[in-house]
Amino acid sequence: MNQALTDLQKRDVKHIWHPCSQMKDYEAFPPIVIKKGQGVWLYDEHDRRYLDAVSSWWVNLFGHANPRISRALSEQAFTLEHTIFANFTHEPAIKVAEKLSALAPEGLHKVFFADNGSSAIEVALKMSFQYHMQTGKTKKKRFLALTDAYHGETIGALSVGGVELYNEVYKPLLLDTVRAKGPDCYRCPFHKEPASCNAPCSRFIEDQLKEHHEEITAVIIEPLIQAAAGMKMYPPIYLQRLRALCSQYDVHLIADEIAVGFGRTGTLFACEQAGISPDFMCLSKGLTGGYLPLSAVLTTDQIYQAFYDDYGTMKAFLHSHSYSGNTLACRVALEVLTMFEEEQVIAMIQQKGERMRELATAAFHEAPYVGEYRQVGLVGAIELVANQKTKEPFPSEERIGYQIYQRALAHGLLIRPLGNVLYFMPPYIISDEEMIFMIETTKETIEQFFQDRRVTVE
């Protein structure tokens, strides 16, 4: 173990098993101990600061230690922190449910609270399955999901995920999912441009629905952006075609808006850009502005009614978590939703998204190892390639993105990679000066890395 570790770092690696990490890496690159946050910045124990360009895994909307959210949380903590949510309720949960129902795509009037994104996915999968069992469609026992999909880490969520990095080892445990090739606009097999195409790639889902629709209960999708796959972005027409196919074949549509909801794509929900209403919409991450774990599954009255009956019929949805509808989390979520209403947040996101696109396009359009810069709303992604003409990726074992991530941290920037993709998903309150720093530091770090790499290779 590195003897230069601080006391806190030594205590951390002695006991803590970190998420999404090969812990052996921590011997050479120990965890950074953060002692405070302010706005878009995180400060470590040595007072070095890092611009949080990934919103701490996509959850932070309005900055760290936001005074308005912190005040609401503190006030609630002195009144009621939590109560059992079976046969009990509280005003923050009621108000959040009312606001979500009013803001969501048409028809989503019922709200089920859970703890986190993966839990929300499990709820939607189980609800869809049980609905069909209770309405006489007992053949519907499978789900249809896309290649490169990511929906979480619990067994059901992993089953509908398509990124082998996360689920390959668990395949003997997973549900038998029908898989359809997902959209890949950068390497489009139809050689179309996303701005003008008619989503011919939707035929892959259509083919699977034609063959398996009698046994499929739901299609699950990440609207507009397949995030963990490398911020793969696709046009709204794909969602429109998918909604029509699900209706045609009597299959539910589950919209996993956990990463893309609450303004990330430039509208409050990504589904808005396609003008569609899913049968289930899963929400989490930004729902509490990065403060506390909370998720929600929104669904229709029709689905709700299939569970509404006398107790003896055993049609109830018997799914629970101890912290369902947590009062502190709901109070924070209520404040976040109120801020969207009062502070013209969507207009701000759209304005800052245009500025980020302008800066990033200028910075990366001639960079030799950048295959593509793509952006939706305030989510931008840089795909690094070994060959721009053939779009050949760098071998995963070289960990190009990870090496650049390490270098960026040394310059005060947190841009956690997704394989060969570096991405920006900053808090909405990022200033123009901070955005310039984010883009320019990324550009300089990439350039310096490849300069050093060429020298090493040569």
Side-chain angles (χ1 to χ4, degrees):
M1 183 62 65
N2 190 335
Q3 295 302 309
L5 298 186
T6 68
D7 176 65
L8 286 172
Q9 287 175 320
K10 290 177 182 177
R11 289 155 60 188
D12 177 284
V13 297
K14 183 177 180 180
H15 295 291
I16 297 178
W17 194 340
H18 286 263
C20 205
S21 300
Q22 171 47 259
M23 293 304 298
K24 194 172 191 298
D25 285 345
Y26 285 41
E27 294 181 10
F29 192 54
I32 296 168
V33 179
I34 298 300
K35 70 174 185 179
K36 71 174 183 178
Q38 188 66 53
V40 300
W41 299 95
L42 295 168
Y43 293 80
D44 72 11
E45 58 182 324
H46 305 292
D47 288 323
R48 289 188 292 258
R49 69 177 190 169
Y50 308 86
L51 193 150
D52 186 359
V54 299
S55 292
S56 288
W57 256 342
W58 323 343
V59 300
N60 191 289
L61 305 188
F62 299 114
H64 297 282
N66 181 281
R68 179 169 175 174
I69 301 175
S70 296
R71 190 178 307 114
L73 174 61
S74 176
E75 290 172 357
Q76 183 61 52
F78 284 96
T79 305
L80 175 66
E81 78 299 336
H82 180 66
T83 180
I84 182 174
F85 209 57
N87 221 82
F88 284 75
T89 191
H90 49 79
E91 190 174 14
I94 294 167
K95 287 185 173 180
V96 169
E98 289 173 338
K99 284 185 179 291
L100 288 176
S101 297
L103 294 168
E106 185 178 356
L108 299 175
H109 300 309
K110 298 299 182 183
V111 181
F112 191 97
F113 288 109
D115 300 318
N116 57 71
S118 295
S119 295
I121 298 298
E122 298 285 338
V123 167
L125 296 177
K126 289 175 65 177
M127 276 187 179
S128 177
F129 169 78
Q130 189 173 343
Y131 169 88
H132 285 124
M133 293 301 103
Q134 292 177 181
T135 55
K137 301 169 188 175
T138 56
K139 291 182 180 179
K140 289 182 174 291
K141 300 176 182 178
R142 303 176 73 191
F143 298 94
L144 193 159
L146 299 181
T147 55
D148 291 330
Y150 179 86
H151 298 289
E153 302 290 352
T154 48
I155 293 298
L158 273 180
S159 296
V160 292
V163 181
E164 290 193 348
L165 174 67
Y166 303 107
N167 66 9
E168 176 66 25
V169 68
Y170 303 107
K171 281 187 176 179
L173 303 178
L174 303 184
L175 304 175
D176 181 19
T177 299
V178 179
R179 193 74 58 185
K181 182 176 174 59
D184 188 347
C185 294
Y186 178 50
R187 296 179 176 86
C188 177
F190 301 96
H191 308 290
K192 302 288 186 180
E193 291 296 325
S196 58
C197 80
N198 196 34
C201 52
S202 63
R203 72 178 60 169
F204 299 125
I205 280 191
E206 184 172 11
D207 290 343
Q208 295 293 353
L209 284 174
K210 281 181 180 178
E211 183 177 355
H212 300 289
H213 65 93
E214 290 187 355
E215 57 182 318
I216 291 174
T217 177
V219 175
I220 184 168
I221 192 167
E222 302 160 86
L224 299 186
I225 305 175
Q226 288 191 285
M231 298 300 168
K232 288 187 173 183
M233 301 173 184
Y234 60 89
I237 183 65
Y238 186 92
L239 291 176
Q240 293 172 1
R241 292 178 66 88
L242 178 57
R243 173 68 274 181
L245 287 167
C246 287
S247 298
Q248 177 184 345
Y249 288 103
D250 190 25
V251 167
H252 287 148
L253 176 59
I254 302 173
D256 176 355
E257 292 234 10
I258 291 163
V260 297
F262 302 105
R264 281 292 173 194
T265 64
T267 50
L268 188 62
F269 301 113
C271 285
E272 291 178 36
Q273 298 186 37
I276 67 162
S277 292
D279 300 290
F280 299 90
M281 187 164 70
C282 300
L283 304 171
S284 191
K285 291 192 183 291
L287 176 57
T288 62
Y291 269 67
L292 289 168
L294 182 69
S295 64
V297 179
L298 278 60
T299 191
T300 66
D301 290 323
Q302 178 183 350
I303 290 170
Y304 174 83
Q305 286 300 322
F307 295 80
Y308 192 87
D309 208 336
D310 293 330
Y311 179 81
T313 65
M314 300 307 293
K315 288 186 176 181
F317 187 58
L318 300 179
H319 180 105
S320 62
H321 296 275
S322 300
Y323 281 93
S324 292
N326 175 256
T327 316
L328 292 174
C330 285
R331 179 62 186 91
V332 168
L334 177 60
E335 197 67 25
V336 167
L337 293 173
T338 304
M339 291 169 73
F340 271 95
E341 293 176 346
E342 296 179 351
E343 299 184 10
Q344 298 183 314
V345 175
I346 297 300
M348 176 178 69
I349 293 168
Q350 292 172 349
Q351 179 184 22
K352 292 186 179 183
E354 291 175 5
R355 177 59 170 158
M356 190 168 83
R357 186 186 301 276
E358 173 190 343
L359 291 169
T361 299
F364 303 118
H365 78 285
E366 292 184 349
Y369 293 100
V370 174
E372 181 183 54
Y373 175 76
R374 50 185 176 264
Q375 184 177 323
V376 174
L378 207 52
V379 181
I382 307 159
E383 180 146 352
L384 302 172
V385 293
N387 187 305
Q388 288 176 315
K389 291 183 178 179
T390 64
K391 303 180 181 180
E392 176 191 354
F394 287 102
S396 60
E397 59 269 19
E398 291 190 28
R399 304 182 77 183
I400 297 293
Y402 179 71
Q403 294 183 68
I404 293 172
Y405 152 74
Q406 289 182 305
R407 287 175 175 237
L409 282 171
H411 294 287
L413 178 65
L414 168 54
I415 46 168
R416 187 175 174 88
L418 294 163
N420 291 323
V421 175
L422 306 171
Y423 67 91
F424 306 123
M425 200 185 283
Y428 302 156
I429 51 104
I430 189 171
S431 70
D432 194 67
E433 180 182 5
E434 290 164 340
M435 191 178 290
I436 291 170
F437 170 81
M438 178 180 76
I439 301 292
E440 290 301 315
T441 302
T442 302
K443 177 186 177 182
E444 293 166 8
T445 304
I446 291 172
E447 289 176 346
Q448 189 60 56
F449 170 78
F450 282 111
Q451 286 177 11
D452 294 346
R453 183 173 179 269
R454 283 198 299 273
V455 171
T456 302
V457 170
E458 292 170 1

